[in-house]
Amino acid sequence: MSKRYDWDVIERLLHDVQNSVASADASEASATELKALLLERGFIAAHTSGAGGNGQGASLTPRGASLLAMIDSSIPGNDHPRQVLDEQGDALDTGTFDEVASKAQIA
């Protein structure tokens, strides 16, 4: 059975990270869990105090930028990549995502 993700929440989180904006809304718990998953699986990277930051915040990794490009709702035709991702066992598994993202017809 495929694991389903809320691509709209993930898209918003990736945009928030990209724009360094903290998210706060009714789905905060879900967003917090998804953000932790995205961090754990290398879609976003936490800023560290040794990297010139204060240890807070995050930035998109190349994998996160690729995911955002695939699911960005401002891009016409983004439903197909979301559908393909939904058909995977776990689309945010790094190996699965990297394989799907490497297919030219998806990206």
Side-chain angles (χ1 to χ4, degrees), residues 17 38-39 42-47 57-61:
V17 168
L38 294 171
L39 182 63
F43 291 91
I44 59 176
H47 293 173
S59 58
L60 290 182
T61 63

Side-chain angles (χ1 to χ4, degrees), residues 22 31 39-40 56 79 95 101:
L39 182 63
E40 175 186 313
Q56 297 180 353
D79 289 343

Side-chain angles (χ1 to χ4, degrees), residues 8-89:
D8 291 331
V9 172
I10 291 173
E11 177 188 359
R12 183 183 46 102
L13 284 169
L14 292 172
H15 276 296
D16 287 352
V17 168
Q18 185 178 44
N19 298 320
S20 300
V21 175
S23 61
D25 64 11
S27 63
E28 186 65 33
S30 175
T32 299
E33 290 175 17
L34 282 171
K35 188 172 182 180
L37 180 68
L38 294 171
L39 182 63
E40 175 186 313
R41 296 196 178 173
F43 291 91
I44 59 176
H47 293 173
T48 61
S49 56
N54 59 5
Q56 297 180 353
S59 58
L60 290 182
T61 63
R63 181 180 286 134
S66 178
L67 176 59
L68 180 56
M70 289 176 69
I71 66 171
D72 195 331
S73 62
S74 68
I75 299 171
N78 79 319
D79 289 343
H80 177 69
R82 288 180 180 208
Q83 179 183 0
V84 171
L85 289 169
D86 283 339
E87 293 169 354
Q88 306 309 306

